[in-house]
Amino acid sequence: MSIRIGAHVDGADAVAQAEAIGAQVAQVFLGDPQSWKVTGSGFPGGEDALRSAAQEAGIDLYVHAPYGINVASTNNRIRIPSRKLLQATLEGAAAIGAKGVVVHGGHVTAKDDPDVGLDNWRKAIDSLDTDVPVLIENTAGGDFAMARHLERIEQLWAAVMASSNASVVGFTLDTCHAWSGGLDLATAAADIKAITGRIDLVHANDSRDEAGSGGDRHAHFGEGRIPPELLVGVIEAAGAPVVCETHGDMGPDIAWLRERLAG
């Protein structure tokens, strides 16, 4: 099995950056990830130009949704704008021909009933008008997170599968988040697949924090706390396209992983 490997790059120069580091996959933002607006990739010539350039280069595009999205929230001032922003992000992703939009699982608060957050996820999926897959990503921290622990991930998956739009939902496994969130990387891919039946994308990152710490600080391969054999093993077991996300030059990360997966 040949796994396609890539990295998160700047949308305005996505294809050239991907080609420079040997990436077959490129993940981009469609605006400031901290904002509540979709302003576009910034690619010269616009979204059609990015779509065409990526296709010509043989690069698969993915979009990471803004960080503030939390469709599980019981706060109307967060939940409703989150749904709108997710819809806008999906529309932007369709314009560049992206294969999926990665969105964090979100959370509720200590005083909330988690079941309400789960149902809010179902309602959010119900409300979407898209052919682009929504790839829910596991998260590292938070006792009230919707996608940190396996038990909650199972509940979340059951909720979104009850949606009339269930066919557009997929899953992103982040290795750093799984490690810091307390999942066993030796079995994480199998455990997730037992729940979801699928892993659509892997965010392949080492972790600067200890297992189970709840920290979300990525590290380049070999510079973090995750044993290399666990990293390679979980990525192999997932069997999905890979995006490396650590800041800085990710060419060495791609080469590191490609060499070990080929072996």
Side-chain angles (χ1 to χ4, degrees), residues 104 137 139-141 174-181 204-211 213-221 223-226 231 245-247:
H104 291 168
E137 180 181 0
T139 48
D174 186 299
T175 59
C176 171
H177 296 176
W179 167 265
S180 296
N205 306 295
D206 206 332
S207 172
R208 292 164 59 188
D209 299 292
E210 296 289 353
S213 64
D216 182 5
R217 299 189 300 165
H218 298 176
H220 293 287
F221 298 140
E223 296 180 8
R225 304 282 187 167
I226 306 177
L231 265 173
E245 293 185 305
T246 304
H247 291 300

Side-chain angles (χ1 to χ4, degrees), residues 42-131:
F43 193 82
E47 310 305 61
D48 285 345
L50 173 53
R51 181 178 191 148
S52 297
Q55 287 177 342
E56 186 174 338
I59 294 168
D60 295 329
L61 295 176
Y62 289 83
V63 170
H64 198 302
Y67 297 137
I69 289 178
N70 182 9
V71 300
S73 177
T74 59
N75 184 336
N76 290 347
R77 295 184 179 181
I78 297 174
R79 184 180 66 259
I80 294 172
S82 291
R83 288 186 191 174
K84 292 178 179 177
L85 183 55
L86 180 55
Q87 178 65 47
T89 303
L90 287 160
E91 291 168 3
I96 65 170
K99 292 184 172 293
V101 168
V102 179
V103 60
H104 291 168
H107 61 276
V108 293
T109 68
K111 69 179 188 297
D112 294 323
D113 179 352
D115 287 343
V116 176
L118 296 168
D119 198 48
N120 283 342
W121 252 109
R122 178 191 60 78
K123 292 175 181 176
I125 299 300
D126 280 345
S127 73
L128 296 176
D129 180 11
T130 182
D131 293 324

